[in-house]
Amino acid sequence: MALLGWSVAPAMAQGYDSEATAAYVIDHGSGQVLLAKNADQPLPPASMSKLMTLLMAFEALRDGRLSLETRVAVSAHAMSFGGSTMFLNTTDRPTVEDLIRGVIIVSGNDASVALAEALSPDGTEAGFARIATERARALDMASTTILNASGWPAPGHVMSMRDLGILAEELITAHPAYYRYFIETEFDYENRAPANRFNRNPLLGLGIGADGLKTGHTQEAGFGLVGSAVQGTRRVTFVITGLPSAEARARESERILNWAFRQFVERQVVTQGTEMARVPVFMGTGPDVAIAPARDLSLLLPVVGEAPLSAEMTYLSPVIAPVAAGDTLGEMVLRLGEGDAMIEHRIPLLATGDVPEGGLIVRLTTAMRAVLEDVFGPTPPAVGG
């Protein structure tokens, strides 16, 4: 097997130093990670973990286990929560839609628990937490352990910023019919909490394309936000936590979006069909065959500075005839970014033409050459004089 490798620029000259304790930024369309700061560290997620409760509710709606009109009982346990609430009581029977709005817009702890108990296999919040953690694992949210539905502080209730990013992307991609609730700015259930009726997302209404998702704050976690915005043809999703104040959260959120949208440009780095190497062919009518990438690849690269982009090709050498155009003979691996932010693309390398198997004379000549090289070594090239 032959290996060819090269490196394009050793390091990114223009990085981003987020004020957040941990941060994760992803370009939605390409899946390219633009920033990862302590992105895999399990941290208390505060109310940002309500997104997991919402995902479970959206999946139940999709599967027909709930409808938006389904009325849900409110337990004494759900009613007992303080902090941000809808001020539900045990005589209420809110609809699932009421509770979804209550979770998203007013960050209702009581609404989150009522939803969770409706989804739980045993009707308890603890039962919900078990299936929510299982669902997180199925989504490759490896640093997530769910112990409750609201993000109420609890030892061991943790999520990483990368996991929250995965969760946000799932909500956006898989549930567009319900994602629309995230852009709503106001909800007051039966005039219970007029002072708590506004969405805390500081980006909504700024005219920068923001349409979600969820804030979070506890003394232990600090101020955080899972946010997403669309500008032009691009969507950027980000997660930050550990900010010292709501003002700092708002400032950092807008700053990080501006950086993600303005400091990268899409460039085609691989072109389908471009010859990358020639591979020797054994026992064929021709000595070799060209290999080329199976598809185009475009990446977001920094406007200023250089990208940490490296690439390598691996392919069999020689290959044995016959070879047909389109046969996979190798692979190109491109890696962009460093550390937690590295993303890898794998592209098959295909034969660009046919090399039929040679006839009897070709096979005899090839076999004789191989025997002679075994005995005497490779034939030296002729030297003209």
Side-chain angles (χ1 to χ4, degrees):
M1 174 175 288
L3 172 66
L4 172 64
W6 70 93
S7 179
V8 184
M12 185 178 292
Q14 293 292 323
Y16 182 86
D17 186 15
S18 175
E19 296 175 9
T21 301
Y24 181 76
V25 184
I26 185 170
D27 179 77
H28 177 81
S30 66
Q32 190 172 322
V33 178
L34 306 182
L35 175 68
K37 177 182 179 181
N38 300 323
D40 295 308
Q41 183 178 348
L43 295 168
S47 286
M48 294 187 293
S49 73
K50 288 183 171 79
L51 293 176
M52 194 70 214
T53 305
L54 290 166
L55 176 67
M56 302 291 281
F58 292 170
E59 290 180 342
L61 288 167
R62 177 198 63 198
D63 298 341
R65 292 178 283 123
L66 289 177
S67 74
L68 291 174
E69 296 75 31
T70 301
R71 293 201 172 270
V72 175
V74 178
S75 69
H77 174 60
M79 177 184 166
S80 71
F81 278 81
S84 182
T85 74
M86 284 175 61
F87 291 93
L88 297 172
N89 61 61
T90 55
T91 66
D92 290 323
R93 294 297 181 270
T95 65
V96 167
E97 186 173 41
D98 289 333
L99 295 175
I100 287 171
R101 284 193 164 117
V103 173
I104 292 173
I105 301 166
V106 304
S107 198
N109 294 319
D110 49 359
S112 299
V113 175
L115 263 181
E117 290 174 342
L119 294 164
S120 172
D122 62 5
T124 69
E125 187 179 14
F128 167 81
R130 287 192 294 274
I131 62 171
T133 299
E134 290 172 6
R135 183 68 183 112
R137 293 289 183 273
L139 289 169
D140 292 327
M141 296 165 58
S143 300
T144 291
T145 300
I146 300 294
L147 298 181
N148 60 58
S150 65
W152 197 262
H157 181 86
V158 292
M159 303 178 79
S160 70
M161 301 304 99
R162 189 186 302 273
D163 286 359
L164 281 163
I166 292 170
L167 178 54
E169 292 287 285
E170 180 71 11
L171 287 164
I172 293 165
T173 302
H175 303 283
Y178 307 118
Y179 183 70
R180 61 185 173 86
Y181 291 113
F182 285 99
I183 203 170
E184 294 185 7
T185 57
E186 191 173 342
F187 175 66
D188 185 9
Y189 178 68
E190 295 185 352
N191 201 33
R192 297 276 179 91
N196 190 40
R197 69 184 189 275
F198 297 110
N199 195 321
R200 292 167 173 77
N201 187 335
L203 300 178
L204 300 182
L206 294 184
I208 58 174
D211 57 7
L213 295 157
K214 189 74 191 71
T215 58
H217 169 246
T218 62
Q219 185 173 357
E220 182 184 16
F223 288 81
L225 175 65
V226 182
S228 191
V230 177
Q231 295 185 14
T233 60
R234 288 181 59 203
R235 175 183 286 279
V236 169
T237 301
F238 70 94
V239 190
I240 53 175
T241 194
L243 279 303
S245 66
E247 293 74 21
R249 174 175 63 192
R251 182 176 61 249
E252 177 64 10
S253 297
E254 191 169 4
R255 192 168 75 100
I256 214 166
L257 279 180
N258 182 67
W259 170 78
F261 281 118
R262 303 288 178 269
Q263 298 304 314
F264 292 87
V265 63
E266 189 174 38
R267 294 279 186 255
Q268 186 167 311
V269 296
V270 174
T271 302
Q272 180 182 5
T274 300
E275 181 177 321
M276 303 301 294
R278 299 197 70 86
V279 180
V281 178
F282 189 66
M283 295 285 193
T285 57
D288 55 29
V289 65
I291 54 174
R295 61 181 174 86
D296 295 337
L297 176 65
S298 295
L299 295 173
L300 290 171
L301 301 177
V303 174
V304 179
E306 297 173 331
L309 175 64
S310 64
E312 67 181 25
M313 292 191 303
T314 57
Y315 53 85
L316 294 173
S317 179
V319 293
I320 299 175
V323 176
D327 285 351
T328 300
L329 301 184
E331 183 180 60
M332 173 183 286
V333 181
L334 290 97
R335 298 180 180 90
L336 179 66
E338 297 172 315
D340 291 342
M342 188 184 77
I343 188 168
E344 185 174 273
H345 296 271
R346 293 179 175 269
I347 302 175
L349 294 170
L350 310 181
T352 63
D354 300 327
V355 182
E357 185 178 15
L360 178 61
I361 293 176
V362 170
R363 294 199 298 275
L364 287 174
T365 301
T366 303
M368 182 61 69
R369 185 184 303 119
V371 170
L372 292 173
E373 287 184 354
D374 246 4
V375 176
F376 299 107
T379 305
V383 179

